[in-house]
């Protein structure tokens, strides 16, 4: 009999698998996707990962191949645990579960180091999270490091690390239900190659993602119009893990009507495309304006660094007539646009004047759009200097303001990009204790059942600080895997809430 079964093949699953194996447990990973599409949402990411660090020395420990020259050209700043807590509480509107948030924040740095020791490599996010000003890259928004090779690199790294430890990975293996009785969970039923079989194990860790790829559940839990959203990542996260846990009496937890959703290429396919990865996203709106079908702006594009607004603005785009918007930029900021604006698969128009541009914005009232853009231009506080590395306070003073980074749209050629809502992952999940054990509806731990990653409810509400999904997956994957591995080997764990 296997000691620990891991359901899923993304970041949380692999963190759990490696941690369980480090406890001396035999581990079997069951991944629903075929190998060519394996790795869940994790594989679609850029690999940006948020953790607390005290300064460049912490980063050099994590990335020993950073050169002196690279460090001299970079101002990495610091991101304290207090700032991480503050960001989590602020963006979730003070709803994040305090115990889960504490585990996330306090374990973030040590878990990064643990991942590095497990064989993963990291690098600073030079392009996306720092702009070159006066010869120095200044990092902003608490997000400084990404996995080497992005999401692909992360999944490859985890897979190699797991295989090195003798962990077996089965692809195309869809877990359909749990084997459970009054004593707890004893294994899973899995469908592979058209056949359903039972695999017994001492413990099961569920890391099977959210329900964002299930159109019926999206409509049921997130509400009207969510059936019209595009799925940014894997088509395999349809809520199987959540369903099978709820079926045996697990407690749901967190914001089941909430999700992470962003501005995403209007004509993107129904699900993510691994060849494009996260390239369909359009995250440079803080340097332009967004216009809906009625020719109106609908959010403060410069309310905060994009890391703190992008995950909630997808919902705002979904609410607009026709579920779309256009992002408009002038040529002064073209060099600041992220790499994702330079891919082939964009719906883009270009014009020399605003008058010409509004005529090209498909589906938009051109007269109203022009009036909106002209009113915006007139409201920009041009006497405040523009600086993309800080919240510069350069406002467009309007009833719906643009609070930072407001530049006039006056230098052609102008560019506009069409976007819709892309859903990333759902926030509702299972209730776990601080040892990763899934609780039942009476809040009693279900023996042998653990959960990690997007399946954990109670961490995110309303919004999300960029780079926290991977960190949460790693932290809670490690906790769940360690606890499951130890339980399978008949060991008891010391208190998991301690700072480690
Ligand atoms: C385009 C995109 C970009 C992103 N960028 C970032 C970023 O830069 N930084 C960041 O922190 N987060 C990012 N995220 C969010 C991040 O991907 C997730 O929060 C994180 O990867 C979730 O990890 P996970 O292991 O919980 O889920 P996943 O990686 O989605 O893994 C779930 C796994 O479960 C498997 N599965 C599902 N059902 C079953 C079943 N029945 N049986 C067996 N296996 C099953 C799936 O095949 C998959 O392998 C991004 C997401 C997307 C889509």
């Amino acid at each position: 009999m296997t000691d620990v079964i891991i359901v899923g093949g993304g970041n949380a699953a692999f963190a759990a698998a490696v941690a369980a194996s480090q406890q001396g447990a035999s581990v079997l990973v069951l991944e629903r996707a075929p190998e060519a599409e394996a790795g869940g949402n994790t594989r679609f990411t850029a690999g940006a990962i948020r953790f607390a660090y005290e300064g460049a020395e912490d980063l050099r420990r994590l990335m020993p191949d950073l050169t002196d020259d690279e460090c001299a050209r970079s101002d990495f700043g610091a991101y304290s645990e207090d700032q991480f807590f503050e960001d989590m509480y602020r963006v979730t509107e003070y709803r994040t579960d305090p115990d889960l948030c504490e585990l996330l924040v306090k374990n973030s740095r040590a878990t990064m180091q643990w991942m590095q020791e497990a064989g993963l490599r990291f690098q600073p996010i030079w392009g996306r999270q720092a702009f070159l000003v006066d010869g120095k890259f200044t990092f902003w928004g608490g997000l400084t490091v990404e996995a080497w090779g992005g999401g692909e690199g992360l999944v490859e790294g985890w897979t190699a690390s797991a295989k090195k430890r003798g962990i077996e990975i089965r692809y195309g293996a869809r877990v359909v239900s749990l084997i459970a009785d009054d004593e707890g969970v004893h294994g899973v039923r899995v469908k592979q190659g058209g056949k359903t079989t039972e695999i017994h194990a001492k413990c099961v860790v569920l890391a099977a993602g959210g329900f964002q790829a299930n159109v019926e559940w999206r409509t049921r839990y997130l509400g009207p119009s969510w059936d019209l959203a595009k799925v940014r990542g894997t088509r395999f996260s349809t809520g199987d893990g959540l369903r099978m846990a709820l079926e045996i009496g697990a407690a749901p937890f967190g914001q089941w009507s909430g999700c992470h959703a962003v501005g995403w290429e209007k004509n993107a396919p129904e699900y993510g495309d691994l060849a494009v990865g996260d390239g369909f996203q359009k995250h440079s709106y803080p340097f332009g304006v967004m216009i809906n079908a009625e020719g109106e702006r609908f959010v403060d594009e410069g309310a905060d660094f994009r890391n703190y607004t992008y995950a909630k603005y997808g919902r705002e785009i979904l609410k607009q007539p026709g579920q779309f918007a256009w992002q408009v930029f002038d040529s002064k900021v073209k060099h600041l646009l992220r790499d994702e604006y330079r891919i082939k698969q964009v719906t883009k128009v270009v014009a020399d004047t605003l008058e010409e541009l509004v005529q090209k914005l498909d589906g938009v009232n051109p007269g109203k759009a022009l009036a909106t853009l002209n009113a915006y231009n007139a409201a920009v506080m041009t006497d405040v200097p523009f600086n993309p590395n800080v919240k510069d306070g350069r406002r467009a003073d309007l009833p719906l303001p643009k609070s930072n980074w407001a530049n006039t749209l006056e230098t052609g050629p102008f560019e506009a990009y069409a976007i819709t809502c892309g859903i990333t992952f759902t926030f509702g999940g299972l209730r776990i204790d601080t040892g990763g054990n899934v609780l039942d509806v009476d809040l009693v731990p279900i023996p042998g059942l653990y959960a990690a990653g997007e399946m954990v409810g109670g961490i995110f509400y309303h919004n999300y600080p960029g780079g926290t999904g991977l960190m949460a997956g790693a932290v809670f994957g490690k906790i769940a895997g360690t606890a499951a591995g130890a339980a399978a080997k008949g060991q008891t764990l010391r208190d998991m809430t301690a700072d480690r």
Side-chain angles (χ1 to χ4, degrees):
M1 189 202 291
T2 307
D3 287 330
V4 179
I5 285 176
I6 312 283
V7 183
N11 179 55
F14 277 112
V18 168
S21 156
Q22 287 176 343
Q23 296 297 309
S26 60
V27 180
L28 171 64
V29 172
L30 298 172
E31 157 66 302
R32 175 176 170 183
E35 191 167 358
E37 293 177 83
N41 266 358
T42 303
R43 186 153 160 203
F44 287 85
T45 70
I49 187 156
R50 176 177 296 261
F51 62 99
Y53 64 93
E54 275 167 20
E57 279 319 300
D58 269 359
L59 299 182
R60 291 195 90 152
R61 261 190 297 279
L62 191 65
M63 299 173 285
D65 38 9
L66 268 185
T67 64
D68 289 341
D69 184 46
E70 284 169 333
C71 288
R73 284 194 300 125
S74 308
D75 179 0
F76 293 119
Y79 186 58
S80 67
E81 289 187 352
D82 281 353
Q83 284 170 292
F84 200 167
F85 275 119
E86 155 64 21
D87 284 341
M88 280 296 294
Y89 277 87
R90 179 170 43 82
V91 306
T92 64
E93 300 177 20
Y94 299 88
R95 286 184 183 272
T96 184
D97 178 86
D99 290 338
L100 297 179
C101 185
E102 184 166 344
L103 283 174
L104 168 67
V105 171
K106 293 220 160 193
N107 287 296
S108 62
R109 182 170 36 171
T111 302
M112 288 296 284
Q113 208 59 51
W114 172 78
M115 288 167 81
Q116 194 239 26
E117 283 153 21
L120 298 169
R121 287 181 67 198
F122 300 99
Q123 63 185 2
I125 314 175
W126 309 105
R128 287 180 168 185
Q129 290 296 139
F131 295 107
L132 189 61
V133 174
D134 297 333
K136 227 173 181 153
F137 282 97
T138 303
F139 284 79
W140 45 266
L143 188 53
T144 307
V145 170
E146 66 190 355
W148 188 268
E152 289 274 355
L154 186 58
V155 172
E156 249 179 60
W158 272 131
T159 306
S161 174
K163 285 189 174 162
K164 219 161 143 187
R165 301 195 66 87
I167 293 170
E168 187 191 346
I169 307 166
R170 288 193 203 160
Y171 296 100
R174 181 180 184 183
V175 175
V176 290
S177 60
L178 296 166
I179 302 168
D181 59 19
D182 290 345
E183 310 305 317
V185 169
H186 309 290
V188 299
R189 291 181 195 86
V190 59
K191 192 164 181 183
Q192 194 174 12
K195 286 210 166 18
T196 305
T197 54
E198 293 195 345
I199 308 178
H200 289 261
K202 292 179 187 154
C203 294
V204 173
V205 179
L206 294 173
F211 60 84
Q212 60 276 2
N214 181 335
V215 64
E216 196 260 347
W217 275 35
R218 276 208 311 274
T219 316
R220 192 191 311 187
Y221 293 111
L222 305 182
S225 295
W226 282 100
D227 41 353
L228 305 176
K230 311 261 184 188
V231 176
R232 294 180 68 205
T234 178
R235 65 192 170 96
F236 296 101
S237 289
T238 54
D240 276 2
L242 295 166
R243 177 193 41 78
M244 66 185 84
L246 296 178
E247 273 169 7
I248 66 152
F253 192 45
Q255 193 187 21
W256 275 69
S257 62
C259 67
H260 179 305
V262 309
W264 191 248
E265 160 58 35
K266 184 167 183 256
N267 295 304
E270 182 183 2
Y271 302 107
D273 175 349
L274 279 169
V276 178
D278 67 357
F280 289 126
Q281 69 202 9
K282 294 288 165 276
H283 286 348
S284 293
Y285 55 85
F287 304 126
V289 297
M290 291 199 275
I291 298 281
N292 68 11
E294 283 157 5
E296 282 166 359
R297 289 175 56 244
F298 52 94
V299 290
D300 177 349
E301 300 89 344
D304 205 333
F305 288 119
R306 83 90 215 174
N307 297 353
Y308 304 114
T309 57
Y310 78 114
K312 65 177 181 178
Y313 280 179
R315 178 179 285 266
E316 298 307 317
I317 295 159
L318 193 76
K319 284 186 200 159
Q320 303 312 308
Q323 296 79 42
F324 74 91
W326 284 88
Q327 295 180 347
V328 181
F329 303 98
D330 94 343
S331 60
K332 288 195 292 296
V333 295
K334 213 172 144 187
H335 65 290
L336 296 176
L337 298 189
R338 291 161 58 108
D339 46 5
E340 68 233 18
Y341 287 79
R342 293 180 198 95
I343 65 172
K344 273 196 311 217
Q345 302 87 338
V346 287
T347 306
K348 170 182 177 182
V349 295
V350 181
D352 287 329
T353 64
L354 288 180
E355 287 74 9
E356 234 182 286
L357 187 83
V358 295
Q359 296 297 334
K360 292 185 174 179
L361 302 181
D362 193 24
V364 173
N365 178 325
K368 276 172 101 181
L370 188 60
T372 299
L373 297 178
N374 286 334
Y376 165 80
N377 274 341
V380 173
M381 294 167 59
T382 47
D383 51 330
V384 179
F386 170 72
N387 183 347
N389 281 332
V390 295
K391 287 208 259 179
D392 63 3
R394 186 174 154 114
R395 281 170 68 83
D397 224 349
L398 293 162
L400 173 60
K402 183 175 174 194
S403 300
N404 293 285
W405 311 297
N407 275 312
T408 49
L409 296 159
E410 59 182 357
T411 315
F414 302 96
E415 292 185 353
Y417 296 80
I419 52 164
T420 185
C421 169
I423 181 169
T424 319
F425 68 94
T426 45
F427 291 160
L430 303 177
R431 192 164 197 142
I432 59 165
D433 65 15
T434 51
N437 216 172
V438 175
L439 303 181
D440 71 12
V441 286
D442 293 324
L443 305 188
V444 176
I446 300 175
L449 188 63
Y450 301 82
E454 291 173 359
M455 288 193 59
V456 175
I459 303 174
F460 305 115
Y461 292 79
H462 303 300
N463 192 7
Y464 155 109
T468 319
L470 290 174
M471 196 68 258
V475 165
F476 290 98
K478 178 171 181 272
I479 289 173
T482 306
K489 299 314 285 178
Q491 298 152 11
T492 48
L493 272 186
R494 67 193 161 81
D495 181 16
M496 301 291 299
T497 57
D499 185 3
R500 71 210 92 97

